[in-house]
Amino acid sequence: MTTLAEAGRFSAYDLKRTPATACKADQRFSYCLYVPPELDPAKARVLVAIHGTERDNAALRDLFAPLAERHGLIVIAPLFPCGIDDPRDRENYKYIEYGDIRFDTLVLSMVDEVAERYGIGADRFALFGFSGGAHFAHRFLYLHPQRLDAVSICSPGSVTLLDEQRDWWVGVADMEARFGRWLDLPSMRRTRVHVAVGGADDATGEITHKPGSAAWMPGANDAGVTRVDRAASLERSLREAGIDARFDILPGVRHERDRLVAAATGFFDAVYGKNDVAA
């Protein structure tokens, strides 16, 4: 086995916590990485971690560094900045498309770039999202389950249910016409799925859709009032479609990224196998 550190092709800036790197597919967007120096490229796997509205992608990357070391993961943490066209916009990536930008294909481009650079396989990878990132993560699952081994969806503010009677984003009736991707339930059933939310995450100011707001459409609030309600609606929708999702409600926890990352870490430890976990 020749590790990345031993290969001699990588500088100190290519290993461990890397600087921000522009995405070749669209240089308005970037990502940073955590790359374990002792990684064996033949066994490496990828975890993509999607930030919330605060966009602190480097801090999110750092939270997953111990998991990366335990299981031989390269962590990719994209940055999707606010104000791409509208300086007031903070929502762009959450609903997959914004203007002519497809954030799902941007993530796939980032994964492919990193896989090529480090000489690893990444036909399938794991995905994590917190808050606004959880918006993205479960919608990415609907569009690209064939690319995912596992997905952790933590504290989404709004959810898309597997409702084939309602259009995107409330449901999936027009998903194929809109995105050119059909709902592949067999592949979704093969993906390990985790839904988690803080049991005290009861603030509604940011997540109540009102007529005239950017994401408003009929049914926008039907999945529930709070994030707890909406996470439960999402888990129920997945289960009714035959998708066996692990569902964690964390007692006493509010909208706390680090606590939800800890829950997701436990899920990913189980996915990758206890035998890989360092004592």
Side-chain angles (χ1 to χ4, degrees):
M1 178 189 79
T2 301
T3 68
L4 292 178
E6 294 167 340
R9 296 189 295 111
F10 302 103
S11 76
Y13 295 103
D14 297 313
L15 301 174
K16 292 195 172 183
R17 293 166 177 83
T18 74
T21 299
C23 177
K24 291 180 183 178
D26 189 330
Q27 294 196 335
R28 292 174 294 181
F29 306 99
S30 65
Y31 54 87
C32 60
L33 308 174
Y34 185 84
V35 183
E38 301 309 311
L39 191 67
D40 176 359
K43 297 179 180 178
R45 291 169 287 202
V46 167
L47 168 68
V48 178
I50 307 293
H51 59 65
T53 308
E54 85 296 333
R55 289 166 166 80
D56 197 352
N57 66 314
L60 180 61
R61 179 266 318 267
D62 292 348
L63 290 172
F64 281 109
L67 181 79
E69 291 284 358
R70 285 199 295 275
H71 297 294
L73 303 170
I74 291 180
V75 179
I76 303 175
L79 174 61
F80 300 131
C82 301
I84 295 167
D85 289 320
D86 178 353
R88 298 165 297 179
D89 168 63
R90 295 186 297 272
E91 310 301 309
N92 47 62
Y93 67 104
K94 299 177 185 179
Y95 297 91
I96 300 293
E97 61 179 355
Y98 177 76
D100 62 352
I101 302 167
R102 283 278 300 271
F103 288 90
D104 58 331
T105 58
L106 273 172
V107 164
L108 292 172
S109 293
M110 292 176 183
V111 170
D112 291 344
E113 286 177 24
V114 171
E116 181 180 6
R117 185 184 317 155
Y118 289 93
I120 65 172
D123 290 342
R124 298 176 70 90
F125 55 92
L127 179 64
F128 167 85
F130 169 73
S131 192
H135 280 237
F136 175 89
H138 78 282
R139 295 176 181 124
F140 186 95
L141 168 66
Y142 296 172
L143 292 167
H144 303 283
Q146 307 88 349
R147 295 297 303 271
L148 294 178
D149 287 319
V151 58
S152 180
I153 304 155
C154 290
S155 303
S158 297
V159 295
T160 297
L161 304 182
L162 292 171
D163 183 342
E164 298 191 65
Q165 305 304 312
R166 296 190 183 195
D167 285 345
W168 192 272
W169 60 266
V170 170
V172 294
D174 63 340
M175 194 179 87
E176 186 171 1
R178 181 184 290 265
F179 297 109
R181 304 289 303 177
W182 58 282
L183 193 65
D184 184 354
L185 289 174
S187 291
M188 291 175 65
R189 292 171 186 139
R190 289 191 291 270
T191 303
R192 300 280 292 276
V193 179
H194 177 228
V195 179
V197 66
D201 194 348
D202 56 5
T204 61
E206 280 192 72
I207 68 170
T208 301
H209 296 279
K210 299 177 182 178
S213 63
W216 168 256
M217 63 181 295
N221 298 305
D222 287 359
V225 175
T226 68
R227 287 186 175 90
V228 179
D229 299 332
R230 294 180 181 187
S233 293
L234 175 61
E235 187 273 338
R236 184 167 55 251
S237 179
L238 293 168
R239 179 165 31 85
E240 289 172 352
I243 298 156
D244 185 17
R246 169 175 156 178
F247 187 33
D248 292 335
I249 299 178
L250 309 183
V253 173
R254 295 189 178 277
H255 200 56
E256 302 172 52
R257 181 195 62 194
D258 294 13
R259 301 283 294 276
L260 272 297
V261 168
T265 296
F267 165 72
F268 288 124
D269 274 334
V271 167
Y272 293 124
K274 293 298 184 182
N275 291 337
D276 293 338
V277 180

